[in-house]
């Protein structure tokens, strides 16, 4: 099988002693066929199909192991190959069979082809490698199409990313405008709420000036209206402070709530109602005492105002596997579901003289403490639940 080869007048080569019909099969094969004439592949001849792919005359030489290698770079997975790393050379020197190896040939003028190579060593009767046979199929069109599709995919992903970023910017802008709208709403509501008591005070002062009378009830009413204006402004300031840095320490929740119980009992007594405190021993909680006391005051006063005379508002502590906190339960008529869904929104109120800021303050304090406020309301009354999430060490 160690055939010699000779030059034809057209510059092509063919093996001696190979029947013409077999040589013709080599030449007209629909796939690329290449033959290395020695184990090191210093000479490789290629049939017409392979020659067209390699941009050489039909049957010409093309080998990077030759003494005058072609000025073509060959890449596998983006890495340039040295001559001994190519499929045919590996088959000849190492005797290995190479299957489905994708190579990219790049010429100095920028032209490129991509092809799949399979190669096997040619052995003589003594099983020594005397040459190499390789087949190849060009897949340039498919690879370039795939690259175009990949590029289109990247471009599309970039467009999607840009759209998402734009949408995020628009959402931020909408939120900013919503905040402006809320501020405008707050300013209008505060102006309206504060104007009422101020108008009352002004009217009575004018009346006293005109009549030069000093009715004690007038003074009480003026003081009451000024107190109401001050409370409205105080609530607004509490809501706007966003005091996330307020100090929180581990404290006894029962002691924190019990401290203001006399104040709440006095409020209830003046309304002809009662406040009952069901104290329980619970794990200490990290909290800001003044803020949690403010929550309890707001919730209890809301419940008292919603309850009939002679009823009782119950404050009850609890602890379970997930949380620690307290309930505030009243015996009022309940809150409509559409209002429950919006509770905590500034200026949302069902009271004739309410500002709707009390619950907003409660929700904001809960957020700062990592706690949650939940509501269960029906015809027999409403229960507010204020729950601190237990830390892992507390749950263990």
């Amino acid at each position: 099988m160690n055939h010699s080869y000779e030059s034809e007048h057209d510059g092509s080569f063919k093996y001696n002693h190979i029947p013409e019909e077999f040589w013709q099969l080599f030449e007209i094969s629909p796939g690329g066929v290449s033959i290395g004439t020695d184990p090191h592949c210093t000479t490789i001849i290629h049939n017409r199909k392979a020659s067209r792919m390699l941009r050489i005359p039909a049957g010409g030489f093309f080998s990077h192991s030759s003494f005058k290698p072609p000025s073509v770079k060959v890449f596998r997975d983006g890495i340039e190959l040295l001559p001994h790393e190519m499929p045919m050379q590996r088959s000849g020197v190492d005797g290995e069979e190479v299957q489905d190896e994708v190579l990219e040939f790049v010429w100095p003028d920028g032209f490129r082809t991509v092809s799949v190579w399979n190669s096997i060593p040619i052995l003589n009767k003594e099983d020594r490698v005397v040459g190499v046979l390789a087949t190849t199929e060009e897949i340039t069109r498919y690879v370039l199409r795939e690259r175009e599709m990949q590029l289109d995919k990247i471009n599309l992903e970039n467009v999607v990313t840009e759209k998402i970023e734009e949408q995020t910017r628009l959402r931020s802008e909408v939120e900013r405008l919503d905040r402006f709208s809320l501020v405008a709403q707050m300013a209008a509501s505060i102006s309206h709420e504060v104007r009422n008591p101020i108008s009352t005070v002004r009217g009575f002062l004018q009346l006293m000036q005109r009549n030069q009378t000093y009715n004690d009830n007038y003074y009480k009413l003026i003081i009451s209206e000024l107190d109401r204006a001050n409370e409205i402004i105080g609530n607004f300031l509490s809501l706007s402070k966003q005091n996330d840095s307020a100090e929180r320490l581990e404290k006894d929740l029962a002691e924190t709530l019990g401290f203001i119980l006399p104040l709440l009992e006095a409020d209830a007594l003046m309304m002809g109602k009662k406040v009952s405190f069901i104290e329980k021993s619970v794990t200490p909680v990290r909290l800001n005492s003044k803020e949690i006391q403010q929550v309890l005051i707001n919730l209890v006063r809301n419940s008292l105002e919603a309850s009939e005379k002679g009823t009782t508002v119950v404050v009850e502590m609890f602890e379970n596997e997930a949380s620690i906190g307290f309930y505030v339960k009243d015996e009022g008529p309940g809150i409509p579901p559409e209002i429950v869904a919006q509770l905590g929104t500034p200026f949302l109120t069902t009271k004739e003289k309410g500002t709707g800021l009390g619950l907003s303050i409660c929700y904001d304090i809960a957020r700062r403490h990592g706690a949650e406020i939940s509501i269960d309301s029906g015809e027999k009354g409403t229960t507010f639940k204020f729950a601190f999430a237990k830390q892992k060490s507390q749950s263990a």
Side-chain angles (χ1 to χ4, degrees):
M1 189 153 177
N2 188 11
H3 300 293
S4 62
Y5 51 90
E6 62 184 15
S7 173
E8 294 287 292
H9 65 278
D10 60 359
S12 64
F13 292 81
K14 61 162 126 179
Y15 283 107
N16 288 328
H17 312 304
I18 295 180
E20 184 68 24
E21 58 269 24
F22 291 114
W23 185 256
Q24 288 178 353
L25 288 175
F26 168 77
E27 283 292 302
I28 66 174
S29 171
V33 180
S34 302
I35 299 175
T37 61
D38 63 277
H40 295 281
C41 295
T42 53
T43 302
I44 304 176
I45 59 174
H46 308 272
N47 73 346
R48 293 175 185 175
K49 183 70 177 287
S51 297
R52 282 199 302 270
M53 183 192 70
L54 297 172
R55 304 175 80 189
I56 60 175
F61 289 132
F62 189 99
S63 172
H64 280 74
S65 300
S66 65
F67 298 110
K68 292 183 178 181
S71 57
V72 180
K73 293 183 178 181
V74 184
F75 297 87
R76 181 181 62 223
D77 297 328
I79 300 174
E80 185 176 356
L81 299 182
L82 298 174
H84 69 275
E85 295 175 318
M86 295 182 189
M88 292 186 69
Q89 282 81 344
R90 299 204 318 269
S91 289
V93 175
D94 300 330
E96 67 174 291
E97 181 177 349
V98 177
Q99 293 184 338
D100 301 326
E101 193 151 294
V102 179
L103 303 182
E104 183 170 2
F105 292 74
V106 182
W107 278 262
D109 61 1
F111 187 84
R112 64 185 60 215
T113 62
V114 183
S115 49
V116 180
W117 289 74
N118 294 275
S119 63
I120 57 172
I122 299 173
L123 306 177
N124 62 11
K125 293 180 180 179
E126 289 77 30
D127 288 333
R128 284 192 306 107
V129 177
V130 294
V132 177
L133 175 65
T135 61
T136 183
E137 189 66 35
E138 185 178 358
I139 58 171
T140 307
R141 181 176 55 180
Y142 307 105
V143 171
L144 293 181
R145 182 182 301 170
E146 182 181 357
R147 289 178 183 175
E148 288 176 1
M149 291 174 63
Q150 187 66 25
L151 184 60
D152 289 342
K153 179 184 176 184
I154 293 172
N155 290 335
L156 180 60
E157 289 175 348
N158 290 336
V159 169
V160 170
T161 301
E162 290 175 1
K163 292 296 183 183
I164 291 174
E165 291 175 352
E166 182 181 357
Q167 187 178 28
T168 302
R169 286 194 298 270
L170 288 174
R171 187 181 296 113
S172 298
E173 183 65 17
V174 169
E175 290 174 355
R176 187 177 69 86
L177 292 175
D178 283 344
R179 287 195 294 271
F180 279 134
S181 175
L182 179 60
V183 169
Q185 180 186 356
M186 292 171 72
S189 298
I190 290 170
S191 299
H192 173 74
E193 294 294 339
V194 174
R195 187 181 291 116
N196 288 337
I198 290 177
S199 297
T200 301
V201 170
R202 187 175 186 279
F204 273 98
L205 287 174
Q206 286 179 325
L207 181 63
M208 292 167 62
Q209 183 184 38
R210 192 179 305 122
N211 298 332
Q212 294 187 349
T213 57
Y214 302 94
N215 190 317
D216 189 54
N217 290 329
Y218 290 175
Y219 290 112
K220 290 181 179 178
L221 185 56
I222 289 172
I223 292 172
S224 173
E225 290 298 280
L226 289 175
D227 286 344
R228 186 156 75 91
N230 188 55
E231 181 182 0
I232 291 168
I233 295 171
N235 283 339
F236 172 67
L237 291 175
S238 296
L239 183 65
S240 62
K241 277 183 181 177
Q242 298 288 335
N243 190 15
D244 288 345
S245 60
E247 185 180 26
R248 286 184 281 275
L249 303 173
E250 274 200 1
K251 295 194 175 181
D252 186 333
L253 184 59
E255 182 181 341
T256 300
L257 301 179
F259 182 80
I260 56 165
L261 191 62
L263 171 65
L264 298 174
E265 288 174 338
D267 284 349
L269 186 61
M270 291 179 64
M271 298 180 188
K273 305 164 191 178
K274 294 181 180 179
V275 172
S276 173
F277 183 40
I278 302 177
E279 181 179 341
K280 292 183 180 177
S281 177
V282 299
T283 305
V285 183
R286 287 186 64 83
L287 53 82
N288 179 280
S289 296
K290 290 184 178 180
E291 290 187 336
I292 299 306
Q293 288 164 359
Q294 182 65 50
V295 169
L296 185 64
I297 290 171
N298 290 350
L299 294 181
V300 170
R301 283 181 174 171
N302 281 348
S303 294
L304 287 171
E305 291 171 2
S307 303
E308 298 292 333
K309 284 188 177 182
T311 57
T312 301
V313 171
V314 177
V315 178
E316 180 179 358
M317 297 174 58
F318 74 87
E319 179 173 7
N320 54 42
E321 292 181 358
S323 58
I324 302 168
F326 58 91
Y327 299 101
V328 176
K329 308 175 186 178
D330 65 46
E331 301 175 40
I335 306 171
E338 63 273 13
I339 300 296
V340 171
Q342 301 179 62
L343 285 178
T345 304
F347 309 112
L348 176 72
T349 181
T350 56
K351 302 175 188 176
E352 185 177 349
K353 294 187 177 182
T355 64
L357 294 176
L359 278 179
S360 295
I361 294 169
C362 293
Y363 275 89
D364 195 52
I365 291 172
R367 177 190 63 79
R368 295 200 291 268
H369 282 76
E372 289 187 359
I373 297 176
S374 55
I375 305 159
D376 181 19
S377 188
E379 294 180 356
K380 295 183 178 180
T382 299
T383 299
F384 284 86
K385 178 183 179 182
F386 190 97
F388 297 92
K390 273 190 173 180
Q391 303 298 322
K392 289 183 179 179
S393 58
Q394 293 176 318
S395 302

